[in-house]
Amino acid sequence: EFFKQGDMERASGLPIGMGFDRHKCESQVDKANGQLGFINFVVKPLYDAFSQVPCVHLEDSALKHLNENITSWKDITTGAVNTI
């Protein structure tokens, strides 16, 4: 979805937004860094805010899985896991 927008921006002669340029995202580390940026600046703050709402219990489900995703993406950026 992000790359498609970047493709449309390129075709229209517009500046390509950060994280939207498929040509700058060539390796698994690049992809992992993009995912971490999106998670840390969009998803995690939203989940953290929702978790403050009374009767909303994200700790055992969504936040747990989100933190597992963060760890997985970080492992790729540090070379702790092999990527294809």
Side-chain angles (χ1 to χ4, degrees), residues 25-74:
C25 186
E26 298 177 353
S27 71
Q28 288 296 322
V29 172
D30 293 336
K31 291 175 186 176
N33 283 324
Q35 290 297 315
L36 284 168
F38 183 75
I39 289 169
N40 288 325
F41 293 104
V42 177
V43 179
K44 187 140 179 28
L46 182 64
Y47 277 33
D48 288 341
F50 278 140
S51 70
Q52 300 301 311
V53 175
C55 300
V56 174
H57 305 286
L58 299 179
E59 303 83 22
D60 295 330
S61 59
L63 283 174
K64 177 185 172 211
H65 295 293
L66 180 62
N67 288 323
E68 289 171 358
N69 272 325
I70 290 169
T71 299
S72 295
W73 289 119
K74 282 183 180 178

